[in-house]
Amino acid sequence: MATRNANIGKSVDWFTIVLYAILVVCGWFSICGASYDFTNHDFFSFATRPGKQLVWIGCATLLGIVLLNIEKKYYELLAYPVYVAFIVLLVVTIFIAPDTKGSHSWLVFGPVKVQPAEFAKFATALALGKLMSSYNYSIGKRSDFIKTLAIIVLPMLLIVAQSETGSALVYLAFFLVLYREGMTGSLLLVGVCAVVFFVLGISLGGKTFTDMPVDTGMFVVLLLVPLITALMLSIYAHDGRRAAVVLLSALGATLAAYLTSRFFVPFNICIVQIIVCVLIFLYLLIVYAVERMPRYVLIGIFALGSVGYYYSCDYVFNNVLEDYQQARIRVTLGVDVDDKGVGYNVNQSKIAIGSGGLFGKGFLKGTQTKLDYVPEQATDFIFCTIGEEKGFVGSVAVLLLFGAFILRLLVLAERQGTNRFARIYGYSIVCILTLHLLINIGMVLGLTPVIGIPLPFFSYGGSSLWGFTIMIAIFLRMDAERSVR
Amino acid sequence: MTGNFQYDNRKFVIGGIVIAIVAVFIVRLFSLQILSKDYKEQGDNNAFLNKTIYPSRGVIYDRQGKLLVFNQPAYDVLVCMREVKDLDTLAFCRALNMTQEMFDKRMADIKNITLNPGYSRYTDQVFLSQLTAEDIAQFNEQLYKFQGFTTRMRTIRQYNYPYAAHLLGDMGEVSKKDMAADEYYSRGDYIGKQGIESFYEKELRGQKGVEVLLRNAHGRIMEHYMDGAQDVEAVPGKDLTLSIDMELQALGERLMKNKIGSIVAIEPSTGEVLCMVSSPTFDPHDLIGRQRGANHLALSKDKRKPLLNRAIQGTYPPGSTFKTSQALTYLQEGIITPETLLPCTHGFVLGSLHVGCHDGYASWSVIPAIATSCNGFFCWGLYRMMSSSKFSNVQEAMTVWKDHMVDMGFGYKLGIDLPGEQRGFIPNAAYYDKVYKGSWKGQTIISIAIGQGEVTLTPLQIANLCSTIANRGYYIAPHVVREVHGGDLDSLYHTRHYTTVERRYYDIVVQGMRNAVLMGTCRSANTPFFEVCGKTGTAQNRGKDHSVFMGFAPKDDPKIAIAVFVENGGFGAVYGVPIGALMMEKYINGQLSEASEQKASDFEHRVIHYSDTER
């Protein structure tokens, strides 16, 4: 043990630690910028957010050092107990946490508030790694897959029960890990298609296509369906010939319908498109009858299902969702502009970032963030401060840092090789960080819906910082042992 | 490697997703921060409140250095509707001395978009304007009770003398047109509306400054941005010294009481206007403060048009004063020599045409003709000129005549530094061709020779003619501002304009005008103190004749040239000459003799009765 400890300094991946340190320091300065209101210069007092964050950073550093010195075998050993402990904690939290802006996710210890959901992520990652590295595990096996799903979904549900939907969404990152570990990509593809169809259907819906009685959203979605069906045929059935048949006949039929509508009788082209999709389905059924390969049926079901999905989305959006939910989605997708109501946060956030220009207004000189125009500026909307004070150059630098950091972790995860536990754990970190980045900065830039999750290392708060620090420290320890061996 | 080998390239998919996310974000940042300028502007609108600092307006002195116009604080009560909460209207109305109805009406008016197009719940609106220091003191004491209301100090003009209202002009809130014409102005700003206030607006107003204040999302003002580094100090307006002599102006206004007309006096050597009286007039104090609107309305409805500055806006037939310009023209064109005798047979008689003259049967040369103001002489002169073989036809003769007139400053604006100057009217050949359908001769238009007919001049143009004669051949464009402190006068106001007539002919006209005082029509202007030259005019019009006088003194070193125009005053000698004489005496001697003082008070109380329909 003593020798190992002596070696940890040498074998640990310093590159990651340096990137981590830079991110944390940049984060602290951003918090200074976000908390400063042109009068208070005392960043080191514990009464201020920068002062507190300094303490959290100190604690995080200590925590990291301690965790780096615990052998990997203990993590492997304790994976399940830790996971179970956090599940219990999450359950308890639902009941004992006070109401904080409608959510029950914060445990209060005197002046300190802790959010267990932030820590449950690393526990889930450990458990997932443990499960998937167990002897004879195969993701293709139904029982194994169900266990895997259970590990992921259980904390998600508990967090949803705490009314922290945003944090729960982050657990979707684990599906990307599963993809890396052999889960069929078609599931991901279908998932992505579902999102794309939904977004296109809403954002382009309601607008007519040229001068014909055609809903643009519907037209585009119905055009994409045969294209993706053809793509699936070529990838999953390795049947380029039939893919070409589907592709060309769909495009041909659509073009013919378009020309007829344009120059002869204007009619709704979408009817032709739907017929095409149905024909594709029938065609693939026949192919299945000949080839006896179930994939053809599945792909056919995808084609027909997509059409059904589009219609049900349309129905759900217009008839099931509440008005405010519709509004929020429409504003996010850029269909509606509402700078005073639902869109206020995002609009102010865009103004703050946009007003930064190329080089920004300078440290502590941002006006939009200081004067309370941007909500949650020190926590969820911290990136605004960077955008406003550091400008394009600073914002891009931060993004590149994040990119480099995540890619470095990806490289580390990959080099765990046959050590599935460490690799799966590493990928979990990579995917969680990626999703945080996507949702948080996407929200601040007005690209994704407003979902309140922190930007790792930047957003003010101990729970988030400690959560990520623990995750990374444990992984670095695992990686260090790889080189020791 | 285990069974995962086949999924190895999926690491590229995941890595690719990370890179794609970063790339999309960078593109988005580029479009927000680099391509779009809107966000910068919106951000500034959000965070910065540009508070205007109003500069003090330049003050105005007369030529003796007497302070005429200065600034006085006045207070506006502003209201920001969004912030009005739990207002105790009763206490509020009591503090401002208003009734509940007035309060309700005012609040409704502010919110009425048609009446108040710039209305916003979020910005300050003027609730009451131009309260005095005493009024506001009472209100300010209780201001803390009235959430949403604030007070603001502005300055309004104040006057030391009740005179020269037309000349000094007034101030009012900018109109939409003013704002469209000059971006400097914003709603609620004051601008010079008339007179010097308007003409010298740019000099007087100075330059507004700005305080850049930070405003947070809740609308609260935080502090100066960058500790005031972006603030711009206001530049005070430039002071003006007028060429007007306020004592002379005051005497002029006294003498013109209860008469309609105008007095203009010019210092010939400089073109500086010494006084500019337009009667009826009003007290400049009437057009300041809260009573401005009501008073302005009353003045504008007055049938005698007291708002009209007759000195530059009234166009009249100049009558016999115009004969001097004719003598100059005939002499210059060689139509007559100083010795040429022209007949007068109780006027000008040609066929059935007869222009009457007070003279009997005689022949006159130019000097006595001016002195006695002989109509016959000048009509014959014009007749000779129009039918002269020197010109190929009457049109050509007319054009030459018109060119001389225009050159003497008639028919066009002289370019005085006041708004609204009228140009008067000098007919030309084309005009007569149109009126008489091409068939006209000297005798057709003969009355212009004696300043009647189509010819009209402003009193300023008559004074300028007199000034030109006093200068023996040149004038400097008349102006009322002598000095812009820290600035320059337009070069027009120190450039001599020589007329087309030679100096020796001016000497002859001067002699004629001197003789008019010594033995002619304006003998009452004669005084032992200095040599006066003068010319009467009796301008015919629909009603009773206008009484006109122009003159200058002293003859060889002219200090003052003056024109007096008294509407329906009868013969020039009745009102014009004595008023002109008193004015010259006052200016040259600095005071009136006892006898003259007596005379002045006599004229002050003379009333000319005008019918209501006449004006």
Side-chain angles (χ1 to χ4, degrees):
Chain A
M1 180 120 185
T3 46
R4 288 250 167 92
N5 277 347
N7 282 339
I8 186 75
K10 274 188 199 164
S11 47
V12 79
D13 186 58
W14 279 104
F15 187 66
T16 308
I17 292 183
V18 168
L19 284 174
Y20 165 85
I22 294 175
L23 284 168
V24 169
V25 169
C26 290
W28 184 74
F29 279 108
S30 304
I31 290 168
C32 289
S35 321
Y36 180 62
D37 63 356
F38 290 122
T39 49
N40 167 29
H41 290 267
D42 190 4
F43 296 133
F44 298 98
S45 152
F46 189 69
T48 67
R49 284 188 158 184
K52 281 187 184 148
Q53 187 74 6
L54 266 188
V55 175
W56 308 150
I57 291 172
C59 295
T61 312
L62 282 176
L63 197 59
I65 292 170
V66 168
L67 290 173
L68 274 176
N69 284 291
I70 295 176
E71 281 180 63
K72 179 186 163 197
K73 62 180 180 194
Y74 293 106
Y75 295 123
E76 230 172 324
L77 205 61
L78 290 172
Y80 287 143
V82 167
Y83 177 76
V84 172
F86 271 100
I87 292 296
V88 172
L89 186 59
L90 285 177
V91 174
V92 171
T93 305
I94 299 175
F95 297 104
I96 66 165
D99 190 316
T100 314
K101 289 180 195 164
S103 102
H104 294 267
S105 63
W106 296 91
L107 292 177
V108 180
F109 303 102
V112 181
K113 289 204 294 181
V114 178
Q115 197 174 25
E118 288 295 333
F119 300 95
K121 283 177 227 169
F122 92 91
T124 309
L126 278 178
L128 197 66
K130 175 85 175 174
L131 174 72
M132 292 176 74
S133 60
S134 58
Y135 180 71
N136 224 359
Y137 174 91
S138 166
I139 197 163
K141 252 192 340 204
R142 182 170 300 167
S143 60
D144 282 348
F145 188 65
I146 288 174
K147 280 183 206 160
T148 313
L149 273 185
I151 286 186
I152 299 171
V153 173
L154 187 59
M156 266 180 97
L157 291 176
L158 292 174
I159 295 169
V160 169
Q162 297 174 354
S163 307
E164 280 288 328
T165 323
S167 299
L169 275 178
V170 173
Y171 284 77
L172 291 177
F174 287 110
F175 286 96
L176 206 55
V177 180
L178 300 187
Y179 168 73
R180 173 64 187 92
E181 292 305 313
M183 186 185 75
T184 169
S186 56
L187 278 181
L188 275 185
L189 184 60
V190 169
V192 170
C193 284
V195 173
V196 169
F197 290 170
F198 177 77
V199 169
L200 287 177
I202 304 294
S203 64
L204 299 177
K207 294 169 196 156
T208 50
F209 178 65
T210 64
D211 48 353
M212 284 174 272
V214 177
D215 184 286
T216 314
M218 190 190 284
F219 175 81
V220 171
V221 170
L222 291 178
L223 190 64
L224 280 176
V225 171
L227 297 186
I228 294 167
T229 307
L231 186 72
M232 285 177 152
L233 277 175
S234 107
I235 296 177
Y236 298 118
H238 304 288
D239 192 343
R241 194 177 57 82
R242 293 204 172 88
V245 169
V246 167
L247 184 67
L248 293 177
S249 53
L251 288 180
T254 309
L255 186 66
Y258 172 75
L259 293 175
T260 312
S261 174
R262 183 110 187 82
F263 296 108
F264 300 102
V265 194
F267 69 104
N268 193 344
I269 313 173
C270 293
I271 295 167
V272 173
Q273 290 180 301
I274 292 171
I275 294 171
V276 165
C277 290
V278 173
L279 288 179
I280 289 173
F281 174 67
L282 295 175
Y283 171 70
L284 291 176
L285 273 186
I286 295 166
V287 173
Y288 166 68
V290 177
E291 304 270 348
R292 290 278 150 199
M293 277 172 72
R295 289 182 176 186
Y296 288 107
V297 183
L298 291 175
I299 294 172
I301 289 172
F302 168 80
L304 202 59
S306 295
V307 177
Y309 170 77
Y310 170 77
Y311 274 99
S312 54
C313 273
D314 206 48
Y315 177 82
V316 167
F317 183 79
N318 289 315
N319 301 299
V320 178
L321 289 188
E322 300 286 336
D323 282 350
Y324 80 92
Q325 289 168 321
Q326 285 186 23
R328 195 174 251 210
I329 292 170
R330 290 167 73 87
V331 168
T332 301
L333 298 180
V335 184
D336 289 348
V337 178
D338 175 14
D339 292 343
K340 295 243 161 69
V342 178
Y344 174 84
N345 292 359
V346 173
N347 186 50
Q348 291 300 337
S349 159
K350 285 197 286 189
I351 289 175
I353 292 172
S355 66
L358 182 58
F359 294 109
K361 298 174 183 170
F363 182 53
L364 302 183
K365 298 222 174 76
T367 51
Q368 306 305 300
T369 44
K370 313 265 164 317
L371 298 168
D372 293 348
Y373 286 98
V374 180
E376 303 295 336
Q377 44 185 298
T379 55
D380 295 348
F381 281 86
I382 186 80
F383 194 71
C384 288
T385 309
I386 302 165
E388 192 184 10
E389 299 197 340
K390 304 295 189 299
F392 180 68
V393 172
S395 314
V396 168
V398 167
L399 280 175
L400 291 178
L401 266 178
F402 265 112
F405 186 67
I406 295 174
L407 290 178
R408 178 64 190 173
L409 288 173
L410 190 129
V411 168
L412 295 193
E414 275 300 324
R415 78 182 183 189
Q416 304 309 313
T418 53
N419 189 337
R420 296 192 68 178
F421 175 65
R423 193 182 65 203
I424 291 167
Y425 181 79
Y427 261 104
S428 298
I429 297 173
V430 167
C431 296
I432 287 172
L433 282 171
T434 305
L435 213 63
H436 266 271
L437 189 74
L438 172 71
I439 294 179
N440 180 282
I441 298 187
M443 159 185 82
V444 171
L445 295 179
L447 293 171
T448 56
V450 176
I451 296 170
I453 62 167
L455 182 62
F457 316 117
F458 279 76
S459 290
Y460 166 78
S463 297
S464 162
L465 179 64
W466 292 345
F468 284 108
T469 305
I470 291 169
M471 264 186 217
I472 287 155
I474 292 175
F475 180 53
L476 286 181
R477 174 68 203 197
M478 293 177 183
D479 176 65
E481 286 195 30
R482 177 204 62 88
S483 25
V484 164
R485 239 179 254 163
Chain B
M1 287 284 158
T2 58
N4 279 321
F5 179 74
Q6 50 179 321
Y7 303 119
D8 227 23
N9 52 7
R10 286 189 175 180
K11 70 186 174 199
F12 297 115
V13 175
I14 297 175
I17 290 173
V18 174
I19 291 169
I21 290 171
V22 170
V24 166
F25 286 170
I26 289 176
V27 169
R28 176 68 165 182
L29 281 169
F30 187 77
S31 86
L32 285 179
Q33 301 187 297
I34 309 293
L35 297 184
S36 166
K37 297 278 168 256
D38 292 358
Y39 292 110
K40 176 103 188 74
E41 223 167 81
Q42 282 187 39
D44 290 351
N45 287 346
N46 258 348
F48 298 126
L49 178 71
N50 291 333
K51 191 177 171 198
T52 309
I53 310 168
Y54 290 93
S56 62
R57 197 172 170 87
V59 299
I60 303 177
Y61 302 97
D62 90 334
R63 70 185 289 124
Q64 314 287 1
K66 291 191 184 108
L67 182 62
L68 306 181
V69 185
F70 58 99
N71 300 309
Q72 191 185 50
Y75 299 85
D76 295 344
V77 176
L78 307 176
V79 58
C80 179
M81 294 295 181
R82 191 180 60 160
E83 284 164 23
V84 177
K85 271 189 214 111
D86 316 319
L87 180 69
D88 179 355
T89 31
L90 204 68
F92 181 84
C93 291
R94 209 178 300 129
L96 276 177
N97 246 331
M98 65 196 305
T99 64
Q100 177 78 38
E101 292 77 56
M102 284 160 74
F103 174 84
D104 291 340
K105 167 134 186 11
R106 191 60 206 130
M107 286 302 249
D109 285 354
I110 291 172
K111 289 177 186 162
N112 185 332
I113 295 290
T114 0
L115 291 176
N116 182 15
Y119 176 68
S120 156
R121 273 168 52 73
Y122 298 87
T123 58
D124 283 341
Q125 305 289 317
V126 176
F127 180 78
L128 279 181
S129 64
Q130 303 201 348
L131 273 68
T132 62
E134 300 93 72
D135 290 344
I136 207 75
Q138 188 191 354
F139 179 69
N140 267 339
E141 274 172 24
Q142 305 180 50
L143 189 60
Y144 70 94
K145 284 196 251 171
F146 311 132
Q147 219 181 337
F149 286 86
T150 46
T151 59
R152 160 180 81 178
M153 195 194 86
R154 297 289 298 270
T155 55
I156 58 170
R157 293 303 238 184
Q158 192 52 272
Y159 303 89
N160 268 336
Y161 299 91
Y163 308 120
H166 297 109
L167 197 72
L168 297 173
D170 61 346
M171 307 272 303
E173 268 192 31
V174 285
S175 64
K176 273 188 188 159
K177 230 168 106 188
D178 296 329
M179 284 186 281
D182 189 342
E183 284 183 3
Y184 177 84
Y185 299 103
S186 40
R187 263 181 57 77
D189 283 0
Y190 291 118
I191 187 173
K193 290 282 184 194
Q194 295 293 332
I196 290 164
E197 297 281 15
S198 164
F199 196 91
Y200 285 95
E201 167 69 16
K202 284 220 168 75
E203 285 78 4
L204 288 167
R205 76 183 181 195
Q207 196 69 35
K208 280 190 268 192
V210 67
E211 277 181 318
V212 184
L213 300 173
L214 287 172
R215 172 175 52 191
N216 74 9
H218 319 294
R220 188 171 303 125
I221 302 302
M222 307 297 283
E223 64 194 282
H224 283 248
Y225 179 55
M226 292 169 68
D227 289 328
Q230 301 266 306
D231 295 2
V232 177
E233 272 193 53
V235 180
K238 297 188 172 94
D239 298 343
L240 301 180
T241 293
L242 302 189
S243 58
I244 300 295
D245 183 321
M246 209 52 182
E247 285 186 30
L248 189 65
Q249 178 79 22
L251 175 65
E253 292 192 17
R254 254 181 79 199
L255 296 174
M256 290 301 286
K257 253 187 206 162
N258 296 314
K259 304 157 197 78
I260 295 178
S262 175
I263 305 174
V264 180
I266 298 175
E267 182 176 70
S269 59
T270 57
E272 289 174 6
V273 176
L274 300 171
C275 79
M276 180 177 279
V277 177
S278 174
S279 181
T281 182
F282 56 94
D283 186 336
H285 294 96
D286 291 348
L287 292 190
I288 52 174
R290 300 183 61 191
Q291 63 279 45
R292 173 186 154 83
N295 287 344
H296 196 277
L297 189 68
L299 287 169
S300 64
K301 280 188 172 163
D302 191 324
K303 287 201 172 111
R304 294 190 176 185
K305 297 192 178 163
L307 288 174
L308 192 71
N309 184 357
R310 291 176 160 77
I312 57 172
Q313 293 174 319
T315 53
Y316 304 99
S320 302
T321 55
F322 197 61
K323 288 173 182 163
T324 51
S325 69
Q326 301 310 296
L328 291 166
T329 306
Y330 308 157
L331 288 164
Q332 180 65 35
E333 288 301 320
I335 305 302
I336 57 170
T337 66
E339 291 77 35
T340 307
L341 298 177
L342 292 174
C344 179
T345 48
H346 267 306
F348 172 75
V349 182
L350 187 75
S352 61
L353 183 67
H354 180 239
V355 178
C357 180
H358 52 85
D359 282 332
Y361 294 89
S363 284
W364 301 101
S365 69
V366 63
I367 290 175
I370 292 171
T372 60
S373 196
C374 172
N375 283 350
F377 180 91
F378 290 98
C379 289
W380 277 114
L382 186 75
Y383 177 76
R384 283 176 125 195
M385 181 166 172
M386 290 300 136
S387 48
S388 166
S389 58
K390 194 176 157 188
F391 309 112
S392 51
N393 54 31
V394 67
Q395 276 84 1
E396 192 188 326
M398 188 65 202
T399 302
V400 170
W401 179 86
K402 186 236 12 173
D403 288 346
H404 282 298
M405 294 303 107
V406 168
D407 196 60
M408 287 178 199
F410 308 144
Y412 289 90
K413 292 178 185 180
L414 280 167
I416 190 167
D417 46 356
L418 287 172
E421 186 190 0
Q422 294 297 304
R423 54 189 283 194
F425 186 68
I426 292 294
N428 60 17
Y431 171 83
Y432 284 127
D433 280 346
K434 204 174 155 199
V435 171
Y436 298 108
K437 303 200 167 49
S439 121
W440 54 281
K441 289 184 279 196
Q443 55 267 46
T444 325
I445 60 166
I446 203 72
S447 55
I448 62 175
I450 56 171
Q452 299 288 157
E454 292 84 359
V455 171
T456 59
L457 302 187
T458 63
L460 179 73
Q461 284 169 324
I462 300 175
N464 190 57
L465 167 66
C466 187
S467 171
T468 311
I469 296 167
N471 283 335
R472 275 71 164 176
Y474 71 87
Y475 69 85
I476 293 169
H479 49 282
V480 293
V481 170
R482 192 182 206 190
E483 188 191 349
V484 178
H485 296 236
D488 292 316
L489 273 191
D490 195 321
S491 65
L492 179 68
Y493 301 134
H494 37 74
T495 308
R496 287 183 179 190
H497 173 82
Y498 282 90
T499 66
T500 45
V501 178
E502 290 164 46
R503 182 186 170 101
R504 54 188 169 124
Y505 300 131
Y506 275 99
D507 286 331
I508 288 165
V509 170
V510 168
Q511 194 54 52
M513 286 173 70
R514 178 63 186 146
N515 286 2
V517 172
L518 292 176
M519 56 196 97
T521 49
C522 25
R523 283 187 296 269
S524 66
N526 198 12
T527 151
F529 302 122
F530 42 82
E531 286 185 290
V532 179
C533 302
K535 180 77 199 77
T536 54
T538 306
Q540 292 167 7
N541 69 108
R542 278 166 299 153
K544 196 179 172 191
D545 292 347
H546 299 318
S547 175
V548 197
F549 169 75
M550 72 173 199
F552 65 91
K555 178 183 163 225
D556 293 321
D557 178 23
K559 292 266 185 279
I560 179 170
I562 195 167
V564 180
F565 206 105
V566 181
E567 290 186 26
N568 310 111
F571 284 119
V574 178
Y575 280 99
V577 178
I579 289 175
L582 287 168
M583 294 292 283
M584 286 190 279
E585 181 186 340
K586 167 74 185 166
Y587 181 68
I588 291 173
N589 287 359
Q591 59 188 31
L592 292 177
S593 68
E594 219 165 285
S596 298
E597 188 55 56
Q598 197 73 45
K599 203 164 156 196
S601 99
D602 171 36
F603 270 95
E604 184 184 344
H605 294 103
R606 283 209 205 170
V607 177
I608 300 180
H609 295 283
Y610 296 91
S611 72
D612 276 349
T613 53
E614 223 172 321
R615 304 271 77 75

